[in-house]
Amino acid sequence: MNHSSAEAEAETIEPLRYLSKGEAAAIETELLKDYRFGQQQLIEIWGQACALAVTKSTLNPFLFCPAGLSLSSLSKKQPTVLVICGPDQNGSIGLVCARHLRIFEYEPTIYHPKRSSQSLHQDFTVQCEKMDIPFLSYLPTEVQLINDAYNLVIDAMLGPESDIGNIKEPYSGILGTLKQVKIPIASVDVPSGWDEEEATQDGIRPEVLISLTAPKKCAASFSGKHYLAGRFLPYDIQKKYELNLPDFPGTDTLIEL
């Protein structure tokens, strides 16, 4: 290929698509109904990807240098991670993420203030309990206690299903605490307190965002470390929704955008 043809090919590469709330819901519905993916299967894929994103982040010695924070050496003696889970799908993904982090020899602790009655959510909870992952009975309101005890917070609290105009306790209080922590935050898909369609000035400010399936519109202005877990998507869905997903390296199921 000559230089001019290579340039022409580069010009035809379409930009990555950022999904609206309706588009994201439509893709998930199609995966479940038409492609016969199971809900548990999708949550497992996403949760493992989130755990892998955390491991990639902690291996980068310069990741949090602008904020004076570094996870590369996991400064505390144990690689401690606080996983905050909500009652909906993002919470289930957080539980799976915690389980995989435990397998990867991290030390996750889960704060899960309102447990869902859904059997699938309960199954993920039991799996974590059987792996001796501790659950907090309350979240310290003294922020320094969180800063001292953990290297990282994983925000799997609210997510796409939430009505950000009507966030009630305990989640409004937890958001207030997360805005004050000095350790890094990694958010699952949509940072808690954000509108899926656009970033909000009132939400938390995560250092890491892990987009699931395809990034949402709110992620377009995100300036931190941004990972995508979307390699499992059937090609026909990618083409139908013009997702223009990037080429994943090797056999990786996760890519940094």
Side-chain angles (χ1 to χ4, degrees), residues 22-224:
E23 290 167 336
I27 289 175
E28 185 169 338
T29 298
E30 199 162 328
L31 286 170
L32 292 170
K33 291 187 176 181
D34 297 344
Y35 286 83
R36 305 301 291 271
F37 277 78
Q39 193 72 47
Q40 182 174 6
Q41 180 184 9
L42 290 176
I43 292 172
E44 187 71 29
I45 290 171
W46 290 327
Q48 184 184 44
C50 289
L52 289 170
V54 169
T55 67
K56 287 180 178 292
S57 298
T58 59
L59 293 174
N60 185 340
F62 303 108
L63 176 57
F64 299 110
C65 283
L69 299 165
S70 175
L71 278 178
S72 61
S73 61
L74 288 171
S75 56
K76 301 172 182 64
K77 291 183 179 180
Q78 299 297 325
T80 51
V81 179
L82 175 60
V83 186
I84 302 180
C85 298
D88 299 314
Q89 182 164 280
N90 253 29
S92 292
I93 294 169
L95 292 169
V96 174
C97 175
R99 171 161 49 82
H100 282 284
L101 285 174
R102 187 71 187 90
I103 293 170
F104 297 153
E105 298 186 349
Y106 283 66
E107 296 291 340
T109 295
I110 297 170
Y111 179 52
H112 194 1
K114 285 192 173 182
R115 301 192 184 189
S116 172
S117 59
Q118 295 182 357
S119 60
L120 186 57
H121 198 95
Q122 292 176 346
D123 289 346
F124 290 130
T125 300
V126 170
Q127 290 165 15
C128 290
E129 291 172 340
K130 293 291 187 181
M131 293 188 70
D132 295 325
I133 298 174
F135 283 73
L136 293 180
S137 58
Y138 68 95
L139 186 69
T141 55
E142 188 175 339
V143 175
Q144 193 56 44
L145 293 175
I146 299 173
N147 295 335
D148 291 342
Y150 304 101
N151 288 281
L152 172 74
V153 174
I154 296 176
D155 161 35
M157 188 168 59
L158 298 180
E161 306 96 339
S162 303
D163 177 6
I164 64 166
N166 188 32
I167 299 175
K168 298 179 179 179
E169 291 291 352
Y171 303 113
S172 59
I174 297 171
L175 276 178
T177 299
L178 291 183
K179 290 177 184 178
Q180 299 177 62
V181 298
K182 300 301 182 184
I183 56 174
I185 298 174
S187 287
V188 175
D189 205 26
V190 176
S192 292
W194 287 31
D195 187 307
E196 191 169 353
E197 301 280 348
E198 58 184 358
T200 174
Q201 298 300 317
D202 296 328
I204 61 174
R205 288 288 177 267
E207 283 76 15
V208 177
L209 176 61
I210 308 156
S211 289
L212 308 177
T213 306
K216 314 309 180 285
K217 284 189 173 181
C218 66
S221 60
F222 182 71
S223 58

